[in-house]
Amino acid sequence: MSDQVLISIDNGVGRIRLNRPKAIHALTTEMCSAIIDALLAWRTDDSVVAVMLDHAPSPDGDPKLSRGFCAGGDIAMIANSAKGDCSEAEQFFFIEYRMNHLLFVYEKPIVAFIDGIVMGGGVGISDPARYRVATERTTYAMPETGIGLFPDVGGGWFLPRMPGRTGTWLATTGARIKGADCAAIGIATHYMASDKLEAVKARIIADPDGLAEILDEMADAPPPSTVEAHRDRIDRLFASDRFEEILAALEADGSDWAREQIATLATKSPQTIKVALRQMVEGAAFTDFADNMRNEYRIGHHVIRRPDFIEGVRAVIFDKDNAPRWNPARPEDVTDELVDSLFAPLPPEKEWTPLPELRG
């Protein structure tokens, strides 16, 4: 068993604790495989009533190492693989997406405590949970447009199902929102002060059958949401599925908020924004989560072979100059034909499939 994820059963509660504090618990292929193995075993174990997903505390108590639930996937590995034959990156996505799908269809209740940084892969393991608990320390984002990837791990399913156009805004801008915002727009089912979490977890372990009632009883009223305060603007200015039309609407609005969005979008990969906008449309139309994940795997297969991904990771992760040189550099240069090519089906033997245990 990997020490990167701690797996145990405690009085009928299957516990999955992410344990890579120095990497803000970013997911590796090994971690995803360990989570899959545990969930599959617990499906048929009548002694397991519920599943609890959180992150382990830093062993030395360093608050800097305890600041995250899960900051995403192992982007450095994916980028290094993309510079070669892409096989390691493809294996990671294949297994990670199987884990996302397993969490989504899981029969037993799962509660995810999203206390801290929740980005990318962290969204992918928590959004499918039946119960999602945010705190004042929660920072949630899908920042993939900033690294030339795309909002994956189920983003195509969850983002367009958020109220109004909030999902489109999150997908394109990579905006970071807080726990109160997560509660306001349905990302979190419950909100509570972080200093209550250990007591809540202890109560759930003592009475797993009472999971839902315990969460309801212990929840706090969240503070006002800044996202909700801007909802009218988000819905109106991000109404289009075309990037150029969103930019035109923001320009015409002229408010300080609109100017901030223009400045943010100018730092993102135009290719990735157009992929995300199409992904929102296609994802909204899917009725089966597996179809969404197959679609995302196709996109991932193609996108990691494009220049923007390696360049985005260089600028944000490796060199940290935050000055990516996108190619194509302008929205109007990202043609419909280019976007079409990134959604193209793969050869049958390369397509993503759910776990064999979930088929039939």
Side-chain angles (χ1 to χ4, degrees):
M1 187 68 68
S2 167
D3 62 359
Q4 297 177 342
V5 56
L6 308 178
I7 292 169
S8 61
I9 300 173
D10 199 345
N11 193 40
V13 177
R15 299 207 66 181
I16 298 172
R17 312 203 80 184
L18 308 180
N19 189 39
R20 289 186 74 210
K22 291 182 179 177
I24 319 182
H25 309 291
L27 297 170
T28 63
T29 307
E30 186 181 17
M31 291 168 76
C32 296
S33 294
I35 292 169
I36 287 172
D37 290 345
L39 290 171
L40 288 178
W42 294 341
R43 280 179 87 213
T44 54
D45 184 344
D46 291 340
S47 72
V48 176
V49 176
V51 176
M52 186 185 296
L53 182 58
D54 63 3
H55 68 278
S58 171
D60 57 4
D62 183 346
K64 283 187 177 177
L65 294 185
S66 299
R67 69 190 190 277
F69 165 69
C70 176
D74 190 351
I75 289 294
M77 176 278 289
I78 297 166
N80 286 327
S81 175
K83 293 175 185 175
D85 67 0
C86 296
S87 60
E88 200 176 356
E90 287 173 357
Q91 181 194 30
F92 172 73
F93 286 133
F94 196 88
I95 293 171
E96 183 186 26
Y97 293 5
R98 281 186 157 184
M99 175 189 65
N100 299 144
H101 177 256
L102 175 58
L103 287 162
F104 185 89
V105 300
Y106 207 65
E107 300 90 345
K108 298 183 181 185
I110 300 173
V111 56
F113 289 93
I114 52 173
D115 177 40
I117 294 168
V118 188
M119 295 185 183
V123 172
I125 58 172
S126 57
D127 270 16
R130 188 179 307 178
Y131 305 106
R132 304 170 298 278
V133 181
T135 74
E136 79 284 353
R137 299 194 296 203
T138 300
T139 299
Y140 177 107
M142 290 295 278
E144 290 81 5
T145 54
I147 57 168
L149 195 56
F150 70 105
D152 66 333
V153 294
W157 179 278
F158 294 109
L159 290 163
R161 286 166 175 79
M162 292 178 186
R165 298 293 284 185
T166 49
T168 299
W169 171 69
L170 288 169
T172 54
T173 64
R176 300 183 177 196
I177 63 175
K178 303 303 291 178
D181 303 313
C182 292
I185 62 177
I187 293 167
T189 59
H190 297 79
Y191 178 92
M192 62 185 68
S194 59
D195 60 11
K196 296 167 72 169
L197 293 186
E198 291 312 307
V200 171
K201 293 173 188 178
R203 282 192 61 186
I204 291 169
I205 289 166
D207 178 19
D209 288 311
L211 168 59
E213 292 78 12
I214 292 165
L215 292 175
D216 288 346
E217 180 189 332
M218 298 290 281
D220 297 319
S225 160
T226 54
V227 171
E228 279 297 284
H230 292 296
R231 266 291 305 284
D232 288 348
R233 279 202 177 106
I234 290 170
D235 291 351
R236 179 166 47 85
L237 301 177
F238 284 78
S240 177
D241 296 321
R242 293 198 64 82
F243 186 22
E244 291 88 343
E245 290 176 5
I246 290 173
L247 289 173
L250 290 166
E251 290 279 4
D253 183 76
S255 64
D256 288 346
W257 186 86
R259 282 196 290 272
E260 288 171 13
Q261 308 315 302
I262 293 169
T264 297
L265 291 167
T267 68
K268 309 301 183 185
S269 157
Q271 168 194 288
T272 305
I273 290 175
K274 289 202 173 184
V275 165
L277 289 169
R278 173 159 163 183
Q279 191 191 349
M280 296 302 101
V281 174
E282 295 196 356
F286 288 130
T287 57
D288 185 336
F289 189 69
D291 291 337
N292 178 78
M293 299 317 298
R294 186 178 302 106
N295 198 42
E296 292 189 7
Y297 187 75
R298 290 171 178 174
I299 302 168
H301 176 95
H302 298 303
V303 160
I304 60 173
R305 290 169 165 78
R306 294 281 308 161
D308 272 10
F309 175 56
I310 291 172
E311 172 61 10
V313 175
R314 178 207 65 76
V316 175
I317 308 293
F318 292 141
D319 296 346
K320 293 183 167 57
D321 60 19
N322 291 306
R325 295 177 291 277
W326 302 122
N327 178 20
R330 303 180 306 164
E332 57 268 33
D333 295 331
V334 181
T335 64
D336 291 344
E337 290 74 21
L338 170 56
V339 176
D340 286 345
S341 73
L342 302 177
F343 284 77
L346 304 178
E349 69 278 6
K350 288 268 194 181
E351 291 277 23
W352 180 87
T353 56
L355 287 159
E357 294 85 348
L358 301 177
R359 290 182 224 158

